[in-house]
Amino acid sequence: MKHSLHKSFVILLAAMVMMVSIIAKPFTANAAETLDIEAESAILVDANTGKILFAKNADVALPPASMTKMMTEYLVWEAIEKGQISWDTTTQISDYPYSISANASFSGIGLEQSKDYKVKDLYNAMAINSDNATSIALAELIAGSEAEFVKMMNKKGEEMGLPDFKFVNSTGLDNESLGKNHPEGTDPNGTNLLSAESAALLAYHLVNDYPESLEVSSMPSTEFDGKEIRNWNHMLPHKTTFLEQFYYEGVDGLKTGYTDLAGYCFTGTAKKNNQRLISVVMQTDSEEKRFEETAKLFNYGFQQFESTEVFPAGHQVKGKSSLPVAKGKEDQVDISIKEGITIPIKPNEKDKYSMEYTINKDLLNKEGKLTAPIKKGEKIGTAQLKYKGENDYGYIIKDSNSTVDVVANETVEKSNWFMLTLGAIGDFFADLFTTVVDWVKGLF
């Protein structure tokens, strides 16, 4: 009897476990698919390919506050790369940044005048502590004035292809707060504007063009002028106990931002294994919320997407594996994609991707044939990756690896003169025969 009861209990327990499993799995899947980000706008981007994994109002231009400094940082790195300045170049502080530094409401670190400051120290204070005065000092050093530096910022934004942006100063403060010091030629009441997409694209260029910048943005704190300054990015491994709740493994940047107008913003980046993600949240309602929402984005990206070779190099699309050739020793030439396409995709979605071929029309004759000679590896056209699923957010960059070259797989030599002559004669009589047949049909 006891054995029977025990057996029944085991069966009942197993059945309950199975039911819980069946119920829980769909719920977990649905929960994973749903991403509710409590921010006015947000975006998540794969930093290797530029593929957008999630977007919410990402094309709406909003005040970015100190996330503006990512552009200032980029131009500092560029000036160093061009040899215009070096990390050891020194500069003194003019009246304008000095007044900003002395104002506690602008997070000033207490710069002194008649003192030489190295570019490296000024950059660290800007990138790590989000200091405004050091940003202005660097802008004046590079361009002569902040007004000229703002022109450089807007020009660089156009070169980068930022879709929605406007820079009026180098810091992200509202021009109204700068008073008479607002950059000449800008609106006294103006403010910088970036969409989440533009902020992410700016970050994409910064971390890919100057990856060394992450060595600075990943520092939880540093020393400036004999004082410790700390990073406002709470997702880094800070020593302070109350910040441990925000720590996220792999985070090494990038830039926080806050003004009354902008709310709490954050452009973050994190790397796990070989995958780097870039996130942006704008106008969250608290300092804590901007990091909590960023963690949601990172969890979604790292847990839901895997870097997958969707199509390998040499892939041939069914029905488009070859093209007809005129005046060649071969009548056909096999074609394929030159490079493989690897992107982050959700598991089990590989079959939702396809390739769309576009052959260069300038290479085709009137009959739609390629003309020999054709060299192996010669570009014939392009192929673009297409996605048939839901929520295709596209790419943050125009020249993404979703479009690759289509090339000839082998060399097709031009046929000799004798064979070309025979072919021409054959074509002549074929055309003549067709003409005669059509004429005879017309008689009846």
Side-chain angles (χ1 to χ4, degrees):
M1 182 69 177
K2 288 183 179 180
H3 177 72
S4 178
L5 287 173
H6 177 71
K7 184 176 180 180
S8 298
F9 177 75
V10 170
I11 294 174
L12 178 62
L13 182 61
M16 290 176 66
V17 170
M18 186 177 296
M19 288 177 64
V20 170
S21 175
I22 293 172
I23 294 171
K25 282 183 179 179
F27 178 79
T28 302
N30 290 334
E33 289 293 328
T34 302
L35 190 58
D36 182 20
I37 299 298
E38 297 178 40
E40 184 62 29
S41 67
I43 196 169
L44 181 67
V45 176
D46 176 66
N48 295 324
T49 63
K51 191 175 192 302
I52 302 173
L53 308 183
F54 173 82
K56 174 186 177 182
N57 300 328
D59 59 349
V60 178
L62 298 169
S66 282
M67 294 196 308
T68 295
K69 294 183 176 73
M70 290 189 293
M71 179 59 85
T72 305
E73 292 174 32
Y74 188 96
L75 291 175
V76 171
W77 282 98
E78 188 175 67
I80 289 172
E81 183 181 43
K82 292 180 178 179
Q84 297 170 352
I85 58 174
S86 73
W87 292 116
D88 292 326
T89 297
T90 60
T91 187
Q92 294 193 350
I93 307 303
S94 69
D95 291 342
Y96 170 29
Y98 176 73
S99 66
I100 295 295
S101 185
N103 191 329
S105 63
F106 294 150
S107 303
I109 57 175
L111 292 175
E112 300 177 21
Q113 290 188 295
S114 301
K115 180 177 180 177
D116 291 333
Y117 288 93
K118 287 185 176 182
V119 167
K120 184 63 176 177
D121 293 329
L122 295 174
Y123 180 91
N124 286 351
M126 172 181 65
I128 297 172
N129 193 238
S130 196
D131 185 72
N132 294 305
T134 52
S135 304
I136 299 168
L138 287 167
E140 291 180 338
L141 173 64
I142 292 171
S145 69
E146 188 180 23
E148 290 301 312
F149 190 80
V150 168
K151 293 178 182 178
M152 293 174 61
M153 295 172 77
N154 284 301
K155 182 180 179 181
K156 183 56 63 176
E158 291 177 0
E159 291 175 4
M160 289 179 175
L162 304 189
D164 314 285
F165 78 99
K166 181 180 72 173
F167 293 111
V168 298
N169 60 56
S170 64
T171 60
L173 294 170
D174 303 325
N175 267 3
E176 186 178 8
S177 301
L178 301 175
K180 64 179 182 180
N181 287 318
H182 76 272
E184 184 180 354
T186 64
D187 183 353
N189 299 311
T191 188
N192 294 325
L193 292 173
L194 283 176
S195 64
E197 183 179 358
S198 291
L201 183 53
L202 174 54
Y204 173 91
H205 283 289
L206 181 60
V207 302
N208 283 295
D209 295 347
Y210 302 108
E212 304 94 331
S213 64
L214 295 170
E215 297 176 8
V216 180
S217 64
S218 62
M219 297 171 63
S221 64
T222 191
E223 187 177 285
F224 180 87
D225 211 13
K227 297 173 291 187
E228 184 182 44
I229 55 175
R230 70 181 182 88
N231 199 319
W232 295 98
N233 180 358
H234 295 173
M235 302 185 86
L236 296 172
H238 289 273
K239 295 179 182 179
T240 309
T241 304
F242 78 92
L243 295 180
E244 290 180 354
Q245 60 180 312
F246 302 111
Y247 170 72
Y248 194 99
E249 183 182 358
V251 168
D252 50 6
L254 197 57
K255 195 71 202 68
T256 58
Y258 171 78
T259 62
D260 290 340
L261 187 62
Y264 293 90
C265 313
F266 182 48
T267 298
T269 184
K271 185 176 183 180
K272 289 187 177 181
N273 300 320
N274 292 321
Q275 185 179 18
R276 175 174 291 282
L277 300 178
I278 294 171
S279 66
V280 179
V281 292
M282 302 186 74
Q283 285 194 359
T284 66
D285 57 17
S286 71
E287 187 173 15
E288 296 78 15
K289 184 64 70 174
R290 63 183 172 188
F291 301 121
E292 293 168 355
E293 301 311 294
T294 297
K296 286 183 186 178
L297 288 169
F298 285 154
N299 285 338
Y300 176 73
F302 287 124
Q303 295 173 9
Q304 294 294 311
F305 293 84
E306 295 178 3
S307 184
T308 305
E309 187 176 47
V310 183
F311 295 105
H315 172 77
Q316 295 179 310
V317 175
K318 189 175 181 181
K320 291 284 187 179
S321 60
S322 65
L323 287 175
V325 176
K327 299 182 179 181
K329 290 186 176 181
E330 304 292 338
D331 295 332
Q332 300 279 330
V333 62
D334 289 341
I335 60 173
S336 64
I337 59 175
K338 182 179 180 180
E339 299 174 353
I341 296 182
T342 299
I343 57 171
I345 67 172
K346 292 183 178 181
N348 304 320
E349 282 204 350
K350 190 174 181 180
D351 59 348
K352 293 185 178 181
Y353 290 87
S354 61
M355 297 298 298
E356 184 178 281
Y357 276 55
T358 301
I359 304 303
N360 187 349
K361 293 181 180 179
D362 294 337
L363 299 178
L364 303 177
N365 65 13
K366 294 180 181 180
E367 297 174 342
K369 297 181 179 181
L370 295 171
T371 302
I374 301 168
K375 295 181 179 180
K376 180 179 181 180
E378 180 180 343
K379 182 178 177 180
I380 303 300
T382 59
Q384 187 174 24
L385 187 68
K386 294 294 182 179
Y387 176 63
K388 297 179 182 178
E390 297 179 358
N391 297 329
D392 183 10
Y393 298 110
Y395 289 77
I396 202 167
I397 49 176
K398 294 180 180 179
D399 298 327
S400 68
N401 72 343
S402 65
T403 301
V404 293
D405 290 345
V406 175
V407 297
N409 286 0
E410 61 265 332
T411 295
V412 177
E413 297 179 356
K414 190 174 184 178
S415 186
N416 59 52
W417 69 269
F418 180 71
M419 295 303 296
L420 289 175
T421 301
L422 287 179
I425 294 172
D427 291 340
F428 171 77
F429 281 108
D431 291 339
L432 179 61
F433 178 76
T434 301
T435 302
V436 172
V437 169
D438 290 341
W439 178 75
V440 172
K441 287 180 178 179
L443 294 177
F444 298 95

